[in-house]
Amino acid sequence: MNELREERAEGRPLFEAVGATLKREIASGRFAGADVLPGERELAEILRISRTTLRRAIAALVEEGVLFHRHGAGTFVRRRPPHVEQALSRLTSFTEDMRSRGFAASSREIERGVFSPTPEEAMMLGVSPRDSVFRLARLRLADGVPMAMERAVVPAHFLGDPARVGDSLYAALDAEGWLPVRALQRLRAVVLGPADAALLDVPEGAAALDIHRIAYLADGRCVEYTRSFYRSDTYDFIAELTLSPSQRRHGEGAMR
Ligand code: 16G
């Protein structure tokens, strides 16, 4: 939090400079894990300011709606979920999507490993039940806010060493030369169960978009089957609709 000095350089009162620094840290996802600020004494020590100044800065941020107190639990960050409009016709990765919008993408891993496929996975991926699949279940976050829960399955032979899959599954597939070029996606509305609702930080029973993506290589082999729950308050999927060529000819005729 070295920026405190820069904030101060602008000649504003110290508590305002502290508030601006905290806001910047929040935006960068610094407290994203638990969304709770460190204790007053620890934070005052980190910022090298008095607890009175810190209290004043926090009070101003509570008034602004950036922070809120939860009795007996501490001071929390009030996250406003980023809103994203996503074209349905482009095959992109979460990391790429968020980066292009200026959000910091991150993930919380729920499951990772190489397993025997379930009958559904084997059928979706077109692999034999004797093959292995790499499973990666992640909570995907933008600027520290949970956006989607994704459970991806990839035939293990496409990934070389699955332990090397880092922040982006598509970057890992690309590195192996197996980036998908085409995908089929099915979307439907669902009501979230308690476990997914808790992960996505929405009330149980909230609506979400249940998305199944099956992605293919140029030679038609299936490289990914992913089932995701996208928070319905953060994502709008936009589809472009065009007339079929024959209808277009018809329409042009009608206009003359
Ligand atoms: C997107 C895809 C998901 C893919 C992921 C890869 C949808 C609905 N889903 O979230 O199928 O596995 O991107 O992202 O768009 P990554 O490269 O950042 O891991």
PDB file of all heavy atoms in Angstrom, residues 86 92-97 136 138 140 150 152 167-171 185 211 213 224 226 228 230 237, ligand 1:
ATOM      1  N   GLN A  86     -21.941 -10.570 -23.160  1.00  0.00           N
ATOM      2  CA  GLN A  86     -21.103 -11.546 -23.848  1.00  0.00           C
ATOM      3  C   GLN A  86     -21.766 -11.976 -25.152  1.00  0.00           C
ATOM      4  O   GLN A  86     -22.901 -12.435 -25.136  1.00  0.00           O
ATOM      5  CB  GLN A  86     -20.918 -12.742 -22.890  1.00  0.00           C
ATOM      6  CG  GLN A  86     -20.179 -13.890 -23.464  1.00  0.00           C
ATOM      7  CD  GLN A  86     -18.717 -13.527 -23.714  1.00  0.00           C
ATOM      8  OE1 GLN A  86     -18.177 -12.618 -23.100  1.00  0.00           O
ATOM      9  NE2 GLN A  86     -18.105 -14.205 -24.645  1.00  0.00           N
ATOM     10  N   THR A  92     -14.598 -17.755 -26.881  1.00  0.00           N
ATOM     11  CA  THR A  92     -13.507 -17.123 -26.114  1.00  0.00           C
ATOM     12  C   THR A  92     -13.402 -17.803 -24.756  1.00  0.00           C
ATOM     13  O   THR A  92     -14.278 -18.551 -24.354  1.00  0.00           O
ATOM     14  CB  THR A  92     -13.774 -15.622 -25.888  1.00  0.00           C
ATOM     15  OG1 THR A  92     -15.094 -15.486 -25.388  1.00  0.00           O
ATOM     16  CG2 THR A  92     -13.619 -14.824 -27.159  1.00  0.00           C
ATOM     17  N   SER A  93     -12.314 -17.498 -24.054  1.00  0.00           N
ATOM     18  CA  SER A  93     -12.145 -18.073 -22.713  1.00  0.00           C
ATOM     19  C   SER A  93     -12.498 -17.018 -21.672  1.00  0.00           C
ATOM     20  O   SER A  93     -12.497 -15.822 -21.960  1.00  0.00           O
ATOM     21  CB  SER A  93     -10.700 -18.507 -22.509  1.00  0.00           C
ATOM     22  OG  SER A  93      -9.887 -17.382 -22.243  1.00  0.00           O
ATOM     23  N   PHE A  94     -12.778 -17.482 -20.478  1.00  0.00           N
ATOM     24  CA  PHE A  94     -13.154 -16.571 -19.394  1.00  0.00           C
ATOM     25  C   PHE A  94     -12.049 -15.545 -19.153  1.00  0.00           C
ATOM     26  O   PHE A  94     -12.297 -14.347 -19.051  1.00  0.00           O
ATOM     27  CB  PHE A  94     -13.422 -17.390 -18.120  1.00  0.00           C
ATOM     28  CG  PHE A  94     -13.918 -16.560 -16.974  1.00  0.00           C
ATOM     29  CD1 PHE A  94     -15.270 -16.283 -16.842  1.00  0.00           C
ATOM     30  CD2 PHE A  94     -13.040 -16.046 -16.033  1.00  0.00           C
ATOM     31  CE1 PHE A  94     -15.739 -15.505 -15.794  1.00  0.00           C
ATOM     32  CE2 PHE A  94     -13.498 -15.270 -14.981  1.00  0.00           C
ATOM     33  CZ  PHE A  94     -14.853 -15.003 -14.862  1.00  0.00           C
ATOM     34  N   THR A  95     -10.808 -16.023 -19.092  1.00  0.00           N
ATOM     35  CA  THR A  95      -9.672 -15.130 -18.820  1.00  0.00           C
ATOM     36  C   THR A  95      -9.595 -14.027 -19.873  1.00  0.00           C
ATOM     37  O   THR A  95      -9.448 -12.847 -19.552  1.00  0.00           O
ATOM     38  CB  THR A  95      -8.360 -15.942 -18.824  1.00  0.00           C
ATOM     39  OG1 THR A  95      -8.521 -17.061 -17.946  1.00  0.00           O
ATOM     40  CG2 THR A  95      -7.179 -15.123 -18.383  1.00  0.00           C
ATOM     41  N   GLU A  96      -9.726 -14.443 -21.131  1.00  0.00           N
ATOM     42  CA  GLU A  96      -9.674 -13.502 -22.250  1.00  0.00           C
ATOM     43  C   GLU A  96     -10.840 -12.499 -22.164  1.00  0.00           C
ATOM     44  O   GLU A  96     -10.645 -11.289 -22.296  1.00  0.00           O
ATOM     45  CB  GLU A  96      -9.842 -14.357 -23.496  1.00  0.00           C
ATOM     46  CG  GLU A  96      -9.213 -13.897 -24.755  1.00  0.00           C
ATOM     47  CD  GLU A  96      -9.590 -14.884 -25.857  1.00  0.00           C
ATOM     48  OE1 GLU A  96      -9.744 -16.102 -25.611  1.00  0.00           O
ATOM     49  OE2 GLU A  96      -9.753 -14.406 -26.981  1.00  0.00           O
ATOM     50  N   ASP A  97     -12.044 -13.033 -21.895  1.00  0.00           N
ATOM     51  CA  ASP A  97     -13.242 -12.174 -21.817  1.00  0.00           C
ATOM     52  C   ASP A  97     -13.081 -11.098 -20.763  1.00  0.00           C
ATOM     53  O   ASP A  97     -13.382  -9.935 -20.990  1.00  0.00           O
ATOM     54  CB  ASP A  97     -14.472 -13.003 -21.413  1.00  0.00           C
ATOM     55  CG  ASP A  97     -14.997 -13.833 -22.538  1.00  0.00           C
ATOM     56  OD1 ASP A  97     -14.661 -13.532 -23.696  1.00  0.00           O
ATOM     57  OD2 ASP A  97     -15.728 -14.794 -22.251  1.00  0.00           O
ATOM     58  N   LEU A 136     -11.588 -30.193 -14.065  1.00  0.00           N
ATOM     59  CA  LEU A 136     -11.199 -28.951 -13.404  1.00  0.00           C
ATOM     60  C   LEU A 136     -12.472 -28.186 -13.052  1.00  0.00           C
ATOM     61  O   LEU A 136     -13.193 -27.720 -13.943  1.00  0.00           O
ATOM     62  CB  LEU A 136     -10.332 -28.120 -14.367  1.00  0.00           C
ATOM     63  CG  LEU A 136      -9.757 -26.812 -13.834  1.00  0.00           C
ATOM     64  CD1 LEU A 136      -8.852 -27.062 -12.634  1.00  0.00           C
ATOM     65  CD2 LEU A 136      -8.964 -26.096 -14.928  1.00  0.00           C
ATOM     66  N   ARG A 138     -13.922 -24.941 -11.157  1.00  0.00           N
ATOM     67  CA  ARG A 138     -13.425 -23.662 -10.631  1.00  0.00           C
ATOM     68  C   ARG A 138     -14.542 -22.661 -10.453  1.00  0.00           C
ATOM     69  O   ARG A 138     -15.456 -22.580 -11.265  1.00  0.00           O
ATOM     70  CB  ARG A 138     -12.429 -23.033 -11.621  1.00  0.00           C
ATOM     71  CG  ARG A 138     -11.165 -23.790 -11.803  1.00  0.00           C
ATOM     72  CD  ARG A 138     -10.342 -23.203 -12.918  1.00  0.00           C
ATOM     73  NE  ARG A 138     -10.972 -23.348 -14.230  1.00  0.00           N
ATOM     74  CZ  ARG A 138     -10.491 -22.835 -15.349  1.00  0.00           C
ATOM     75  NH1 ARG A 138      -9.392 -22.109 -15.320  1.00  0.00           N
ATOM     76  NH2 ARG A 138     -11.102 -23.022 -16.497  1.00  0.00           N
ATOM     77  N   ARG A 140     -15.118 -18.931 -10.957  1.00  0.00           N
ATOM     78  CA  ARG A 140     -14.446 -17.896 -11.737  1.00  0.00           C
ATOM     79  C   ARG A 140     -14.854 -16.527 -11.209  1.00  0.00           C
ATOM     80  O   ARG A 140     -16.042 -16.258 -11.013  1.00  0.00           O
ATOM     81  CB  ARG A 140     -14.829 -17.989 -13.232  1.00  0.00           C
ATOM     82  CG  ARG A 140     -14.786 -19.375 -13.845  1.00  0.00           C
ATOM     83  CD  ARG A 140     -13.438 -20.044 -13.838  1.00  0.00           C
ATOM     84  NE  ARG A 140     -12.326 -19.296 -14.329  1.00  0.00           N
ATOM     85  CZ  ARG A 140     -11.746 -19.436 -15.521  1.00  0.00           C
ATOM     86  NH1 ARG A 140     -12.244 -20.283 -16.387  1.00  0.00           N
ATOM     87  NH2 ARG A 140     -10.666 -18.757 -15.851  1.00  0.00           N
ATOM     88  N   GLU A 150     -17.625 -23.212 -12.950  1.00  0.00           N
ATOM     89  CA  GLU A 150     -17.404 -23.999 -14.170  1.00  0.00           C
ATOM     90  C   GLU A 150     -16.814 -25.365 -13.836  1.00  0.00           C
ATOM     91  O   GLU A 150     -15.850 -25.443 -13.083  1.00  0.00           O
ATOM     92  CB  GLU A 150     -16.403 -23.287 -15.093  1.00  0.00           C
ATOM     93  CG  GLU A 150     -16.955 -22.035 -15.720  1.00  0.00           C
ATOM     94  CD  GLU A 150     -15.989 -21.428 -16.730  1.00  0.00           C
ATOM     95  OE1 GLU A 150     -14.791 -21.743 -16.697  1.00  0.00           O
ATOM     96  OE2 GLU A 150     -16.448 -20.626 -17.536  1.00  0.00           O
ATOM     97  N   ALA A 152     -15.134 -28.205 -15.922  1.00  0.00           N
ATOM     98  CA  ALA A 152     -14.637 -28.560 -17.256  1.00  0.00           C
ATOM     99  C   ALA A 152     -14.060 -29.969 -17.253  1.00  0.00           C
ATOM    100  O   ALA A 152     -13.451 -30.398 -16.264  1.00  0.00           O
ATOM    101  CB  ALA A 152     -13.565 -27.569 -17.684  1.00  0.00           C
ATOM    102  N   ASP A 167      -3.750 -20.620 -14.910  1.00  0.00           N
ATOM    103  CA  ASP A 167      -4.966 -19.814 -14.740  1.00  0.00           C
ATOM    104  C   ASP A 167      -5.988 -20.053 -15.850  1.00  0.00           C
ATOM    105  O   ASP A 167      -7.180 -19.904 -15.637  1.00  0.00           O
ATOM    106  CB  ASP A 167      -4.611 -18.319 -14.744  1.00  0.00           C
ATOM    107  CG  ASP A 167      -3.760 -17.967 -13.543  1.00  0.00           C
ATOM    108  OD1 ASP A 167      -3.798 -18.746 -12.565  1.00  0.00           O
ATOM    109  OD2 ASP A 167      -3.055 -16.939 -13.605  1.00  0.00           O
ATOM    110  N   SER A 168      -5.487 -20.357 -17.049  1.00  0.00           N
ATOM    111  CA  SER A 168      -6.403 -20.474 -18.186  1.00  0.00           C
ATOM    112  C   SER A 168      -6.318 -21.857 -18.825  1.00  0.00           C
ATOM    113  O   SER A 168      -5.260 -22.286 -19.290  1.00  0.00           O
ATOM    114  CB  SER A 168      -6.071 -19.394 -19.225  1.00  0.00           C
ATOM    115  OG  SER A 168      -6.722 -19.693 -20.455  1.00  0.00           O
ATOM    116  N   LEU A 169      -7.465 -22.526 -18.852  1.00  0.00           N
ATOM    117  CA  LEU A 169      -7.538 -23.848 -19.494  1.00  0.00           C
ATOM    118  C   LEU A 169      -7.273 -23.723 -20.988  1.00  0.00           C
ATOM    119  O   LEU A 169      -6.561 -24.542 -21.577  1.00  0.00           O
ATOM    120  CB  LEU A 169      -8.930 -24.446 -19.242  1.00  0.00           C
ATOM    121  CG  LEU A 169      -9.227 -25.783 -19.897  1.00  0.00           C
ATOM    122  CD1 LEU A 169      -8.302 -26.874 -19.387  1.00  0.00           C
ATOM    123  CD2 LEU A 169     -10.676 -26.189 -19.653  1.00  0.00           C
ATOM    124  N   TYR A 170      -7.835 -22.671 -21.610  1.00  0.00           N
ATOM    125  CA  TYR A 170      -7.650 -22.505 -23.055  1.00  0.00           C
ATOM    126  C   TYR A 170      -6.190 -22.184 -23.391  1.00  0.00           C
ATOM    127  O   TYR A 170      -5.689 -22.605 -24.422  1.00  0.00           O
ATOM    128  CB  TYR A 170      -8.604 -21.424 -23.599  1.00  0.00           C
ATOM    129  CG  TYR A 170      -9.988 -21.966 -23.902  1.00  0.00           C
ATOM    130  CD1 TYR A 170     -10.425 -23.158 -23.325  1.00  0.00           C
ATOM    131  CD2 TYR A 170     -10.857 -21.305 -24.767  1.00  0.00           C
ATOM    132  CE1 TYR A 170     -11.687 -23.662 -23.590  1.00  0.00           C
ATOM    133  CE2 TYR A 170     -12.125 -21.815 -25.043  1.00  0.00           C
ATOM    134  CZ  TYR A 170     -12.543 -22.990 -24.445  1.00  0.00           C
ATOM    135  OH  TYR A 170     -13.792 -23.496 -24.720  1.00  0.00           O
ATOM    136  N   ALA A 171      -5.498 -21.452 -22.509  1.00  0.00           N
ATOM    137  CA  ALA A 171      -4.075 -21.170 -22.752  1.00  0.00           C
ATOM    138  C   ALA A 171      -3.297 -22.481 -22.709  1.00  0.00           C
ATOM    139  O   ALA A 171      -2.391 -22.705 -23.514  1.00  0.00           O
ATOM    140  CB  ALA A 171      -3.545 -20.184 -21.719  1.00  0.00           C
ATOM    141  N   GLN A 185     -23.168 -24.658 -27.686  1.00  0.00           N
ATOM    142  CA  GLN A 185     -23.482 -24.232 -26.330  1.00  0.00           C
ATOM    143  C   GLN A 185     -24.994 -24.261 -26.113  1.00  0.00           C
ATOM    144  O   GLN A 185     -25.733 -23.779 -26.958  1.00  0.00           O
ATOM    145  CB  GLN A 185     -22.961 -22.807 -26.150  1.00  0.00           C
ATOM    146  CG  GLN A 185     -22.547 -22.521 -24.742  1.00  0.00           C
ATOM    147  CD  GLN A 185     -21.585 -21.343 -24.671  1.00  0.00           C
ATOM    148  OE1 GLN A 185     -20.386 -21.503 -24.719  1.00  0.00           O
ATOM    149  NE2 GLN A 185     -22.129 -20.171 -24.543  1.00  0.00           N
ATOM    150  N   ILE A 211     -25.083 -23.468 -18.424  1.00  0.00           N
ATOM    151  CA  ILE A 211     -24.537 -23.516 -19.780  1.00  0.00           C
ATOM    152  C   ILE A 211     -23.704 -24.777 -19.991  1.00  0.00           C
ATOM    153  O   ILE A 211     -22.810 -25.076 -19.203  1.00  0.00           O
ATOM    154  CB  ILE A 211     -23.643 -22.275 -20.044  1.00  0.00           C
ATOM    155  CG1 ILE A 211     -24.436 -20.996 -19.750  1.00  0.00           C
ATOM    156  CG2 ILE A 211     -23.122 -22.271 -21.479  1.00  0.00           C
ATOM    157  CD1 ILE A 211     -23.670 -19.729 -19.989  1.00  0.00           C
ATOM    158  N   ARG A 213     -21.138 -26.430 -22.633  1.00  0.00           N
ATOM    159  CA  ARG A 213     -20.356 -26.155 -23.844  1.00  0.00           C
ATOM    160  C   ARG A 213     -19.615 -27.418 -24.259  1.00  0.00           C
ATOM    161  O   ARG A 213     -18.931 -28.038 -23.454  1.00  0.00           O
ATOM    162  CB  ARG A 213     -19.339 -25.037 -23.583  1.00  0.00           C
ATOM    163  CG  ARG A 213     -18.468 -24.768 -24.803  1.00  0.00           C
ATOM    164  CD  ARG A 213     -17.405 -23.718 -24.548  1.00  0.00           C
ATOM    165  NE  ARG A 213     -17.949 -22.366 -24.557  1.00  0.00           N
ATOM    166  CZ  ARG A 213     -17.184 -21.263 -24.612  1.00  0.00           C
ATOM    167  NH1 ARG A 213     -15.866 -21.372 -24.670  1.00  0.00           N
ATOM    168  NH2 ARG A 213     -17.733 -20.074 -24.608  1.00  0.00           N
ATOM    169  N   GLU A 224     -13.407 -30.504 -25.206  1.00  0.00           N
ATOM    170  CA  GLU A 224     -13.859 -29.964 -23.907  1.00  0.00           C
ATOM    171  C   GLU A 224     -15.355 -30.159 -23.732  1.00  0.00           C
ATOM    172  O   GLU A 224     -16.119 -29.956 -24.670  1.00  0.00           O
ATOM    173  CB  GLU A 224     -13.572 -28.449 -23.861  1.00  0.00           C
ATOM    174  CG  GLU A 224     -14.125 -27.763 -22.628  1.00  0.00           C
ATOM    175  CD  GLU A 224     -14.327 -26.247 -22.773  1.00  0.00           C
ATOM    176  OE1 GLU A 224     -14.171 -25.694 -23.886  1.00  0.00           O
ATOM    177  OE2 GLU A 224     -14.657 -25.610 -21.760  1.00  0.00           O
ATOM    178  N   THR A 226     -17.867 -28.645 -20.846  1.00  0.00           N
ATOM    179  CA  THR A 226     -17.919 -27.833 -19.620  1.00  0.00           C
ATOM    180  C   THR A 226     -19.346 -27.494 -19.267  1.00  0.00           C
ATOM    181  O   THR A 226     -20.127 -27.067 -20.120  1.00  0.00           O
ATOM    182  CB  THR A 226     -17.104 -26.528 -19.789  1.00  0.00           C
ATOM    183  OG1 THR A 226     -15.731 -26.873 -19.954  1.00  0.00           O
ATOM    184  CG2 THR A 226     -17.209 -25.641 -18.557  1.00  0.00           C
ATOM    185  N   SER A 228     -21.415 -25.019 -16.784  1.00  0.00           N
ATOM    186  CA  SER A 228     -21.199 -23.830 -15.947  1.00  0.00           C
ATOM    187  C   SER A 228     -22.522 -23.272 -15.440  1.00  0.00           C
ATOM    188  O   SER A 228     -23.548 -23.379 -16.111  1.00  0.00           O
ATOM    189  CB  SER A 228     -20.546 -22.706 -16.753  1.00  0.00           C
ATOM    190  OG  SER A 228     -19.590 -23.192 -17.643  1.00  0.00           O
ATOM    191  N   TYR A 230     -23.715 -19.570 -14.542  1.00  0.00           N
ATOM    192  CA  TYR A 230     -23.378 -18.149 -14.558  1.00  0.00           C
ATOM    193  C   TYR A 230     -24.404 -17.385 -13.750  1.00  0.00           C
ATOM    194  O   TYR A 230     -25.606 -17.609 -13.923  1.00  0.00           O
ATOM    195  CB  TYR A 230     -23.352 -17.613 -16.004  1.00  0.00           C
ATOM    196  CG  TYR A 230     -22.022 -17.830 -16.670  1.00  0.00           C
ATOM    197  CD1 TYR A 230     -21.609 -19.112 -17.025  1.00  0.00           C
ATOM    198  CD2 TYR A 230     -21.173 -16.771 -16.923  1.00  0.00           C
ATOM    199  CE1 TYR A 230     -20.377 -19.313 -17.620  1.00  0.00           C
ATOM    200  CE2 TYR A 230     -19.938 -16.967 -17.520  1.00  0.00           C
ATOM    201  CZ  TYR A 230     -19.547 -18.240 -17.858  1.00  0.00           C
ATOM    202  OH  TYR A 230     -18.325 -18.440 -18.435  1.00  0.00           O
ATOM    203  N   PHE A 237     -26.071 -12.571 -22.107  1.00  0.00           N
ATOM    204  CA  PHE A 237     -25.558 -13.167 -23.345  1.00  0.00           C
ATOM    205  C   PHE A 237     -26.317 -12.549 -24.514  1.00  0.00           C
ATOM    206  O   PHE A 237     -27.542 -12.516 -24.524  1.00  0.00           O
ATOM    207  CB  PHE A 237     -25.723 -14.693 -23.323  1.00  0.00           C
ATOM    208  CG  PHE A 237     -24.717 -15.344 -22.429  1.00  0.00           C
ATOM    209  CD1 PHE A 237     -25.003 -15.589 -21.099  1.00  0.00           C
ATOM    210  CD2 PHE A 237     -23.460 -15.690 -22.911  1.00  0.00           C
ATOM    211  CE1 PHE A 237     -24.074 -16.169 -20.262  1.00  0.00           C
ATOM    212  CE2 PHE A 237     -22.518 -16.272 -22.079  1.00  0.00           C
ATOM    213  CZ  PHE A 237     -22.827 -16.509 -20.750  1.00  0.00           C
TER     214      PHE A 237
HETATM  215  C1  16G B   1     -15.412 -19.952 -20.746  1.00  0.00           C
HETATM  216  C2  16G B   1     -16.171 -21.160 -21.253  1.00  0.00           C
HETATM  217  C3  16G B   1     -15.638 -22.460 -20.722  1.00  0.00           C
HETATM  218  C4  16G B   1     -14.134 -22.547 -20.883  1.00  0.00           C
HETATM  219  C5  16G B   1     -13.490 -21.363 -20.222  1.00  0.00           C
HETATM  220  C6  16G B   1     -11.997 -21.366 -20.391  1.00  0.00           C
HETATM  221  C7  16G B   1     -18.484 -20.232 -21.410  1.00  0.00           C
HETATM  222  C8  16G B   1     -19.900 -20.406 -21.085  1.00  0.00           C
HETATM  223  N1  16G B   1     -17.589 -21.112 -20.936  1.00  0.00           N
HETATM  224  O1  16G B   1     -15.747 -19.615 -19.462  1.00  0.00           O
HETATM  225  O2  16G B   1     -16.245 -23.504 -21.464  1.00  0.00           O
HETATM  226  O3  16G B   1     -13.647 -23.741 -20.293  1.00  0.00           O
HETATM  227  O4  16G B   1     -13.995 -20.171 -20.803  1.00  0.00           O
HETATM  228  O5  16G B   1     -11.496 -20.254 -19.688  1.00  0.00           O
HETATM  229  O6  16G B   1     -18.141 -19.287 -22.068  1.00  0.00           O
HETATM  230  P1  16G B   1      -9.992 -20.127 -19.213  1.00  0.00           P
HETATM  231  O7  16G B   1      -9.144 -20.310 -20.428  1.00  0.00           O
HETATM  232  O8  16G B   1      -9.920 -18.771 -18.623  1.00  0.00           O
HETATM  233  O9  16G B   1      -9.743 -21.219 -18.216  1.00  0.00           O
END
